[in-house]
Amino acid sequence: MPYKANEVRRHRIPRTRYKVENWAEYDAGLVRRGSLTVWVTPEAITAWTLARTGRRGRPQKYSDIAVEAGLMLRLAFGRPWRQTEGLLGSIMGLLGLNLPVPDHTTFSRRSADLSVAPALKRTAGPVTVVIDSTGLKLFGAGEWQQEKHGGKPRRTWRKLHLAVNPDTGDILASELTTTDDGDASLVGALLEKVPQEITAVLADGAYDGDPVYRAVAAHSAEAAVIIPPRKTAVLSDTAETAPTRRDRHLQLIAEKGRLGWQRAVGYGKRSLVEVAVLRYKALIGRGLRARTLPAQKTEAAAGCRVLNVMTSLGRPVSRRVA
């Protein structure tokens, strides 16, 4: 919003500078991300293969733990299923574990209906939640081919909706949908996955509307909703006697302006969800490898879990210097 308000004279605005205050810890965390230290708990070894049930038909040989381990390795290292099969097999050999490794076809088939649990970070105590969505590419002809040769674009997209804790950078909840689903309609589903109390929910103007306010109130009645109303928004009929939270935002904007409202309510935290989106696309990828929607949902959930593991190894803490 500040850039839009100053778009005409944006070239005169000096670039904001930040200084990382925990560079030593953050540098060590980046080094740990490349560590090949691997350990397998005794519980995982015991549950790696499934026991025979005595029922008719061919039983499953591998448990969900084995398939999930391969899926997370695939996303963390950005490898296809065949290379993931070889990577997991070499890890078992280096660890001296006599455990079978699923082949790439088993990985591909089983990951479609895999339940990644617990998929995301669970924290204790009340949290602030920042919500946003981004697009992930699927297979098909890309923008370059369309620009070069013309024709109708064939590439399709999926929307990844994220609920992020701005204080820790952890992804608290995620939902992958088609582009037909609106952003505001997924707020309730995201908040249902956050078990702890919510103190505030921040989002951009695309989430402005009564359904979002009702979804937040249904989860945590006292939670603050910090969403910029649209330019065409007007006060409700009861604004003089019983103003709603949205009415208070409109009144504060009329009094202090948009930029003054942002400073007063702490709207700047909303940009931290875009940092999480950037980290997801930089570390996991800008597209989805799976071909079906159920498998894509599993892949996105596992990608968020991998990202939370990387976040736990260390993240920069910066302060504004200019």
Side-chain angles (χ1 to χ4, degrees), residues 191-266:
L191 296 182
E192 288 178 358
K193 297 182 178 181
V194 183
Q196 57 267 47
E197 191 73 13
I198 295 176
T199 58
V201 175
L202 294 85
D204 58 26
Y207 294 85
D208 179 40
D210 291 336
V212 175
Y213 282 83
R214 289 195 297 266
V216 176
H219 185 283
S220 300
E222 302 299 325
V225 182
I226 304 176
I227 299 175
R230 294 180 175 87
K231 292 183 178 180
T232 57
V234 296
L235 296 172
S236 64
D237 297 335
T238 61
E240 296 296 333
T241 57
T244 63
R245 297 179 181 179
R246 190 167 182 265
D247 289 334
R248 296 191 185 97
H249 288 317
L250 289 171
Q251 293 168 352
L252 189 59
I253 290 173
E255 177 185 350
K256 298 186 175 183
R258 288 271 175 176
L259 298 182
W261 171 83
Q262 291 184 19
R263 289 189 291 267
V265 300

